[in-house]
Amino acid sequence: MIKDLIIRNRTYRRFYQEVAIERQTLRELVDLARLSASAGNLQPLKYMLSCEPQKNDLIFPHLAWAGYLKDWPGPSQGERPSAYIIILGDTEISRSFGCDHGIAAQSILLGATEKGLGGCIIGTIQRDELRKVLDIPSRYEILLVLALGKPKETVVVETVNSTGDIKYWRDSEGVHHVPKRPLDEIIIG
Ligand SMILES: Cc1cc2nc3c(=O)[nH]c(=O)nc-3n(C[C@H](O)[C@H](O)[C@H](O)COP(=O)(O)O)c2cc1C
C-alpha cells in the first residue's frame, strides 16, 4: 500500500485549474505535516494557504517550473495549480529548519495523492517578491511552496538507462518520464 502511494505520488506540473480545492482540504493536509517528525520536536514550521484564484495569481509568477524542460515555460492559464501551501520557518522558534520542511512536504503530498490530487514541491522561488506580494512578515523564512491541483498529465517512473542521465523528459504524447537510479546502485554497503 505505501509503495503504491509513493509511486502514485509523482511531481505534477499541469492541472485541471477549474477543479477547486477547498481551504478545509488544505487544512487537513497541513494536519498531516503537523503530526510528522520534527528535529527536537521544535515544530518551527508555519503554513500559508491559498485556494482563491486571485491569491493564486499573486503566487504563480514567482515560481520556477521544470528546469530540465528548457522549452516549456511552465503551466499555461487553465493548467495552473488551484491551490498552494507555502511552508515557512518561524525564526522565533528556530534559526535552522533541518529537513523538517522536506518531511512536511512529503506528508502533505502523500495525503494529497490519497485524495486524488497531486502537486509539485517548488524550491526555486523568487522569495523577496513572494514575501512582498503576500505580505509575509520577516520573522518567517520562505522554505518551500507546494503547488497543488487535480493532475492533468501522465507521469511515469523508469530506471535510469546506461547513459546515466537523470534528467526528466516529456515525450511527443506529453507523457512525463522520471528516471530513477536502480536500487543496487544506491545501496553502497
Ligand atoms: C526540495 C525540492 C525542490 C524542488 N524544486 C522544484 C522547482 O523549483 N520546480 C520544479 O518544477 N520542480 C521542483 N522539484 C520537483 C523535482 O523536480 C521532482 O521531485 C523530480 O523531478 C523527481 O520527480 P518525482 O517527484 O516525480 O519523483 C523539487 C523537488 C524537491 C524535493
Side-chain angles (χ1 to χ4, degrees), residues 132-151:
K132 211 168 170 183
V133 293
L134 294 180
D135 209 11
I136 298 173
S138 58
R139 78 180 257 197
Y140 301 112
E141 193 177 316
I142 299 173
L143 298 171
L144 292 170
V145 174
L146 306 183
L148 294 162
K150 178 105 185 138

Side-chain angles (χ1 to χ4, degrees), residues 6-62:
I6 287 175
I7 289 172
R8 285 196 288 129
N9 176 30
R10 299 272 54 86
T11 290
Y12 294 99
R13 300 183 178 87
R14 287 181 291 165
F15 306 95
Y16 292 98
Q17 192 174 337
E18 69 279 11
V19 178
I21 298 177
E22 291 182 3
R23 189 174 171 89
Q24 177 56 23
T25 303
L26 300 180
R27 287 178 58 87
E28 287 166 20
L29 294 176
V30 171
D31 201 34
L32 301 177
R34 182 182 73 84
L35 295 166
S36 299
S38 169
N41 204 27
L42 288 178
Q43 305 164 71
L45 303 182
K46 300 286 166 70
Y47 301 86
M48 191 171 269
L49 313 181
S50 174
C51 55
E52 307 85 5
Q54 299 87 332
K55 196 170 176 185
N56 290 347
D57 286 347
L58 292 178
I59 297 169
F60 179 81
H62 306 297

Side-chain angles (χ1 to χ4, degrees), residues 32-168:
L32 301 177
R34 182 182 73 84
L35 295 166
S36 299
S38 169
N41 204 27
L42 288 178
Q43 305 164 71
L45 303 182
K46 300 286 166 70
Y47 301 86
M48 191 171 269
L49 313 181
S50 174
C51 55
E52 307 85 5
Q54 299 87 332
K55 196 170 176 185
N56 290 347
D57 286 347
L58 292 178
I59 297 169
F60 179 81
H62 306 297
L63 310 176
W65 296 87
Y68 292 147
L69 304 182
K70 295 293 177 204
D71 53 0
W72 187 65
S76 52
Q77 191 61 252
E79 295 189 336
R80 292 182 180 165
S82 11
Y84 296 93
I85 295 175
I86 301 172
I87 306 182
L88 305 166
D90 188 340
T91 62
E92 291 188 7
I93 296 178
S94 181
R95 282 276 156 198
S96 64
F97 306 99
C99 55
D100 277 26
H101 42 301
I103 293 168
Q106 181 76 347
S107 294
I108 288 170
L109 287 169
L110 287 172
T113 301
E114 193 187 55
K115 289 176 185 293
L117 301 171
C120 182
I121 300 173
I122 299 186
T124 307
I125 306 161
Q126 294 175 342
R127 287 179 166 76
D128 293 343
E129 290 83 350
L130 187 65
R131 181 182 298 285
K132 211 168 170 183
V133 293
L134 294 180
D135 209 11
I136 298 173
S138 58
R139 78 180 257 197
Y140 301 112
E141 193 177 316
I142 299 173
L143 298 171
L144 292 170
V145 174
L146 306 183
L148 294 162
K150 178 105 185 138
K152 198 184 182 179
E153 62 181 344
T154 302
V155 178
V156 291
V157 171
E158 48 205 36
T159 305
V160 169
N161 66 23
S162 54
T163 68
D165 192 356
I166 47 69
K167 291 191 186 77
Y168 49 77

